[in-house]
Amino acid sequence: MPEFTIGVDIGTTGTKTVLVNVGEARIVAQASRDTRLHADAPGHAEADPAQWLDNVHIGIREVLAQSGVPPREVGALATTGMVPAVVPVDHAGSPVRRAMLQNDARATAEIEQLKAASDAEAVLAATGSAITQQSVAPTAMWLRRHEPETWNATTHLVGSYDWVLMALGATPHVELNWAIESGLGTVEGVRFDPMFEAADLKADLVPRVLAPGARAGALSRDAAEATGLPAGLPLIVGGADHVLSAYAAGVNTPGDWLVKLGGAGDILAASDSPVIDARLYLDAHPVPGRWLPNGCMATSGSLIRWFQTLSGGVDLIALDEEAASRAPAEVLCLPYFLGEKSPLHDPDLRGAFVGLDLAHTRADMYRSVLEAIAFGFKHHTEVFTSIGVPLQRALVTNGGSRSVLWKQILADVLDTPLSPIVGHPGASLGAAVVAAVGIGLLDDWDSTGPFRTLGDPVTPDRRNTDRYAQAYAEWRTLGDVLTPVSHRIARKARS
C-alpha cells in the first residue's frame, strides 16, 4: 500500500503543499506559493481560482521533485482552505468570476435585509452562527443584485478548497464546515431551508455536503498531467483551514486552544458539546462527537502584508527587528481594514492608527499592527471565558508563529504561555492526515500526535503585561468611540 499522502492549503495569502510519510509520521517535502489578494473597492476581498489551481499544480510537482518520492507511492490527496470563501461555478464547474473570500465585506445591505426577514434565535440555534459577514446567503443576494449576468451563469456556490478538489477531478460538493459556517447548513450538515427561503435561493444552489475523510472522486487525466501524480488517485475531502490546523496541532480535548496566525486570525477551543454564541462560530471537529467553537478576525497576516507593501516591501524580519526596539503600545491600531468578523460582526468598521506624533516611525506603526491583532485575540478569550469554555493549554501555529516578536507580544497581551508547534505547516498537514484516514492508512482520528513537535513555551514578560492590560482597555474604548465614525465613512463610500 502507498505510504505517502499530500495535503494542500488554499490560504488567503498563499497556497501550501505538503507531502507526508504516513508510516514515519513526518513531512518529507513542502512548497509554498503566494496568492494575490484583490481588493478593488472598500470591503472587497477576492482571489483568482485560476491562480490557486496553478499554485496547486506547481506545488505538487515541487514536493515530488524535492522528495524523489515516486508518484505511484502517493496514496491520496486532500485539500483545505479559508472558509467560507465563495466560488460561483457554472454547470461545468468552471468559475464565472473571481472568488469572494471569507473576509469580503460588501454585502452589508443584504445582511441587514436577511436579519429583518429571519428569526435570529432560530438561525443561531440551527446553524450555530448568527447572520453576519461570514454568511453566504447575503453574498449570494449581492451577486444577484449587482452582477446579474454572473448570477444567471451560476449553477453552484462552492468553497475554495472544494473547488480545487473539483478542478482536480472530484464531483461537485461542499465540505461539512463550509456548509455550517455559510449559514446555509445546520450543525448536522443538512440544508437550512429557512435561509434559502429568506434569501430566495434555489434549493440545489449548494451541492451535496461531504464530511472530512469522505472520497469525493479521483484525479482526472488532465490533472494527472499537470501535477505528475497518477490518474485515478483518490481525492479526499479535507476541511476548513482553521479546523484542520487545530486538529493537526493537537487541539483535541477540552482546555486545549489555538491561536492561528494566518491571513486571517483564528482562535479555536476544543469542546465535547456544541457551544453556540452569537459572537462566535461553531465548527465540527474532525474527531466525531467533538466540536470547535471559534472566532475569526477579518485580518491578521493580510494586514501585515498590507503594511509591508506600504513600507516598500521591506523584509518582515527587518520590520520585526525595528519594532522590537520600540516601546509597547505607544500607538494604537484598530485592525478593521476589512471590517470585522467575530466577535463584533460589523463589516462597516474601518482601520485606524491613533496616537501618532512626529517622533514615531514605521517601526511604531508596525508594532501597533502586531499588538492590534493580539488585542483582537484577547477580545475573543474574554468571550470564551464568559460562556464557560475552558482555556488551559495554549498553542500557536501558522506563518506568523515564526515571528519571535509577534509571539512574545501575544503571550504578553494574552498573559499566558504559548507553545509553538515546531515546523508546523498548519492546515496542510491536517489535510494530509485526513487523506490518510480517508484511505485507511490511518485507522484512528486521534492519530495526529506523532506528527507534531512542541517548541519551548513563550512566557509572558511581566514588564509588559500590565502595560498591555491598560492599553487593551484603551483599545476597546477607542473601538467604541470610532465605531460611529467608521459607519459614516463606510456609508459614504458605498454611496
Side-chain angles (χ1 to χ4, degrees):
M1 178 176 280
E3 297 181 6
F4 300 87
T5 60
I6 289 176
V8 178
D9 179 12
I10 311 302
T12 307
T13 57
T15 305
K16 300 176 185 176
T17 304
V18 298
L19 178 65
V20 169
N21 185 315
V22 177
E24 297 179 3
R26 65 183 181 91
I27 297 170
V28 296
Q30 52 187 311
S32 180
R33 296 185 64 83
D34 290 341
T35 299
R36 180 185 175 189
L37 174 67
H38 297 265
D40 298 336
H44 289 209
E46 299 182 351
D48 184 358
Q51 186 180 34
W52 292 340
L53 191 58
D54 285 344
N55 286 350
V56 171
H57 291 161
I58 294 169
I60 292 172
R61 287 191 169 276
E62 284 185 359
V63 296
L64 290 174
Q66 288 174 25
S67 65
V69 170
R72 66 180 180 277
E73 291 297 320
V74 178
L77 178 150
T79 56
T80 179
M82 60 199 118
V83 61
V86 177
V87 187
V89 299
D90 61 19
H91 67 280
S94 299
V96 297
R97 72 178 315 282
R98 289 196 303 230
M100 300 168 74
L101 303 186
Q102 77 288 350
N103 49 6
D104 191 279
R106 74 187 72 183
T108 52
E110 290 76 14
I111 290 171
E112 295 308 312
Q113 181 181 338
L114 267 183
K115 284 182 177 179
S118 303
D119 181 334
E121 291 185 4
V123 170
L124 181 62
T127 67
S129 300
I131 299 172
T132 68
Q133 177 185 341
Q134 186 92 345
S135 306
V136 168
T139 300
M141 294 169 65
W142 188 95
L143 282 170
R144 183 173 60 212
R145 182 172 294 166
H146 295 277
E147 297 183 7
E149 291 185 4
T150 295
W151 185 249
N152 290 335
T154 298
T155 300
H156 293 308
L157 299 181
V158 298
S160 58
Y161 51 103
D162 298 319
W163 177 79
V164 168
L165 212 62
M166 289 163 54
L168 295 175
T171 57
H173 67 281
V174 293
E175 183 265 331
L176 173 62
N177 280 316
W178 188 97
I180 294 174
E181 288 213 25
S182 72
L184 297 174
T186 68
V187 292
E188 291 82 16
V190 300
R191 187 175 65 239
F192 183 50
D193 289 326
M195 188 61 67
F196 281 77
E197 293 166 4
D200 192 22
L201 304 177
K202 59 184 182 179
D204 62 352
L205 180 64
V206 175
R208 62 176 177 154
V209 177
L210 295 177
R215 180 166 174 165
L219 195 71
S220 68
R221 291 191 179 278
D222 287 346
E225 183 176 345
T227 61
L229 291 169
L233 180 81
L235 299 175
I236 305 299
V237 176
D241 56 0
H242 58 293
V243 171
L244 294 195
S245 185
Y247 170 58
V251 181
N252 294 330
T253 58
D256 293 340
W257 58 291
L258 172 71
V259 171
K260 177 177 172 287
L261 303 177
D266 296 296
I267 181 169
L268 307 96
S271 172
D272 282 337
S273 60
V275 177
I276 295 176
D277 187 284
R279 294 167 291 181
L280 301 173
Y281 306 113
L282 179 66
D283 285 290
H285 197 289
V287 176
R290 294 183 191 158
W291 297 88
L292 284 167
N294 64 87
C296 179
M297 299 184 294
T299 60
S300 178
S302 55
L303 177 56
I304 289 170
R305 292 293 185 187
W306 171 83
F307 187 86
Q308 180 187 30
T309 300
L310 286 191
S311 301
V314 64
D315 186 79
L316 290 177
I317 295 176
L319 284 175
D320 269 13
E321 291 174 350
E322 292 178 9
S325 65
R326 311 303 291 182
E330 284 208 350
V331 177
L332 293 180
C333 169
L334 294 179
Y336 310 132
F337 288 70
L338 282 171
E340 186 55 296
K341 294 166 70 176
S342 65
L344 297 173
H345 299 301
D346 189 344
D348 281 347
L349 292 179
R350 293 294 179 261
F353 291 93
V354 176
L356 289 165
D357 62 43
L358 293 180
H360 287 129
T361 68
R362 72 181 181 192
D364 297 284
M365 296 182 70
Y366 179 67
R367 184 175 185 115
S368 75
V369 166
L370 300 181
E371 292 167 341
I373 299 165
F375 291 151
F377 283 120
K378 182 175 178 63
H379 194 175
H380 281 87
T381 63
E382 289 186 339
V383 173
F384 280 128
T385 300
S386 72
I387 59 177
V389 175
L391 300 177
Q392 295 166 357
R393 187 180 66 130
L395 305 167
V396 60
T397 66
N398 280 59
S401 66
R402 291 190 291 270
S403 168
V404 174
L405 174 62
W406 199 5
K407 284 185 294 189
Q408 188 62 59
I409 288 172
L410 281 163
D412 294 347
V413 169
L414 298 173
D415 197 11
T416 191
L418 289 174
S419 294
I421 310 296
V422 177
H424 184 60
S428 54
L429 173 59
V433 174
V434 170
V437 174
I439 60 170
L441 276 180
L442 292 172
D443 57 8
D444 183 0
W445 280 103
D446 276 327
S447 55
T448 59
F451 288 89
R452 63 180 175 270
T453 302
L454 288 178
D456 293 332
V458 180
T459 57
D461 185 338
R462 294 302 168 195
R463 295 171 297 179
N464 295 332
T465 52
D466 288 346
R467 175 68 190 105
Y468 277 133
Q470 297 168 4
Y472 172 72
E474 294 165 353
W475 182 81
R476 289 292 303 276
T477 299
L478 179 64
D480 292 340
V481 169
L482 289 188
T483 289
V485 179
S486 290
H487 288 176
R488 289 194 293 270
I489 291 172
R491 287 195 295 269
K492 183 177 180 180
R494 282 198 298 273
S495 66

